Amino acid sequence: MVSVDVISEEDDMMTVLFKDSDRALLNAVRRNLMGHIPKMAIDTVRFQMGTYDQCTKCEHLNPAGVARRTAGGTGCMKCEAAFEKEGDDYVVWETNYAIPDEMIAQRVAMIPIPTDPEAYYFEGDCPDCKDLVEEDRGCPTCNMIYTLRAFGAKGGKTITARDLTFLGDDSGNVPEAYRDIPITVLHEGQMIEFWATARMGYGVNHAKWSPTAGVTFEPRQTASIANDKKAKTLFDMGLRVSKKDFKDGRLDDVSKVSALKKDLHNVGAGTGMSEDFDDAITLENVEGEFLLSFETDGSMTPKAALNASFSKLEQRFASIKEDIEHVIG
Ligand SMILES: [Zn+2]
Ligand SMILES: [Zn+2]
C-alpha cells in the first residue's frame, strides 16, 4: 500500500516522500499536478477604449471634448466647473500605452487567482448555466470578475496586480505576496481600463491554468561512508553535513541526505578534490521510495494541489476500471 509522508511544507513549496511506490505512479502524480488540477485563471479581458477629460475639481471623468467650452460644452457633467484651459480646469487621459492589449491580457492571465474548487464550478458543469449555449455561460458560481482602472504619472507609474479589484469578497483578491507582479507602465496622460473574467480550467489547455511549477521526483537515497579516512576530505570543509550526522557510517534522514548531495559537489569531478575524496561516501537508492517536490504559483496551497491531484487520479483510474470491466464483462 502506497504511503505518503510530508517532508517539508511551505506556503508555496512542498516535498513529500512516497513509499511502496514506483516511477509509473510518481509520473502519473507529476503529470496530474501540472496539467489536471482545476484552477481559476483570467480567460477573457475586455478593454475599455476612449479619451476622457478629468475635472481637476471633482475628478469626474467626462467623455472627451463634450464638456469643453471650446467645443460648446457647459463644463463638468458632475460639478459643472467650466472647462476652459487644459491642465488647469481638466486633464486629458487616453487609453493609449506602449504595450499591446493582447500582451496585457496574457500578463493578467498569468497572475495567480486564488482558487477555491469548492466555491466555483467549471462553466460546463455549472448548475446555473451549463444548459445555456457556450457564449451565454458565465455566472457568479462559475466566473470571477476583476476590474482595473489606473492612471499614469510623470516619469512612468507601474501598474501591478495590486490594482486589480475583485468584484466580491476578499477571498478573490490576489494574494499579498503576488500583488507586485507588473502589468504595464503608464505615463502622464495614459490610462488603462478593463474588466477581466476568470474561469476554471486545466493546465493541459494553457499554462495559466497550471497551479504548479518545477514538479520533479527522484529516488530517495541513503548515504554510507565507504572510506573513513578519505571521507574526512569532505568533513574537514565544515559544510552542511558532518561526521556526527552519520550513525554507524550510514545516513538515512531525508533532508540531511539532500544537504549531503549539495556538499558532495565540492569534492566531485572538476573540483580538484575528487582524487583525494575518491568516492569515500556513496549514495544508494531506496527500493520503492521516491521524493516528489514542487512549487505552486500562489493560487492554492501545495497541499490543496496534491490532494486535488490524488482525487483526480482516483477518478481517472476508476473510469479506466469501468471501461475495462465493460469490455471484459
Ligand atoms: Zn467636476
Ligand atoms: Zn455558471
Side-chain angles (χ1 to χ4, degrees), residues 140-217:
T141 46
C142 60
N143 282 178
M144 289 167 85
I145 313 281
Y146 292 81
T147 61
L148 185 145
R149 179 196 262 180
F151 299 88
K154 239 191 192 128
K157 184 180 168 205
T158 306
I159 309 305
T160 66
R162 194 177 297 280
D163 297 301
L164 277 176
T165 309
F166 173 58
L167 299 185
D169 60 19
D170 274 353
S171 66
N173 286 327
V174 176
E176 182 59 42
Y178 302 92
R179 289 188 192 162
D180 291 328
I181 297 175
I183 296 171
T184 188
V185 173
L186 297 181
H187 291 268
E188 205 176 16
Q190 298 181 333
M191 67 173 286
I192 185 169
E193 186 172 15
F194 63 72
W195 54 273
T197 308
R199 300 186 171 82
M200 291 289 235
Y202 290 119
V204 282
N205 298 115
H206 193 288
K208 68 186 173 189
W209 281 307
S210 178
T212 56
V215 194
T216 59
F217 70 90

Side-chain angles (χ1 to χ4, degrees), residues 47-113:
F47 290 90
Q48 201 69 40
M49 309 242 294
T51 308
Y52 300 95
D53 292 340
Q54 187 177 32
C55 174
T56 41
K57 240 189 204 155
C58 74
E59 297 192 344
H60 181 70
L61 289 177
N62 296 278
V66 297
R68 292 180 204 170
R69 179 68 49 88
T70 50
T74 51
C76 174
M77 288 160 90
K78 196 173 171 200
C79 74
E80 292 178 357
F83 277 13
E84 276 170 19
K85 195 157 181 283
E86 186 181 334
D88 287 346
D89 302 328
Y90 62 94
V91 188
V92 180
W93 294 100
E94 205 176 343
T95 53
N96 186 17
Y97 28 82
I99 296 182
D101 289 346
E102 291 86 343
M103 267 174 81
I104 289 182
Q106 159 73 10
R107 286 182 178 187
V108 170
M110 299 305 287
I111 292 171
I113 299 299

Side-chain angles (χ1 to χ4, degrees), residues 16 41 45 148 150 191 208 232 236-238 313 324 328:
V16 284
V45 182
L148 185 145
M191 67 173 286
K208 68 186 173 189
K232 236 177 137 290
D236 284 350
M237 291 178 178
L313 268 183
I324 292 173
I328 298 173

Side-chain angles (χ1 to χ4, degrees), residues 121-123 125-130 137-143:
Y121 291 91
F122 276 74
E123 279 185 358
D125 303 325
C126 175
D128 296 334
C129 62
K130 66 168 189 264
R137 286 182 197 155
C139 71
T141 46
C142 60
N143 282 178

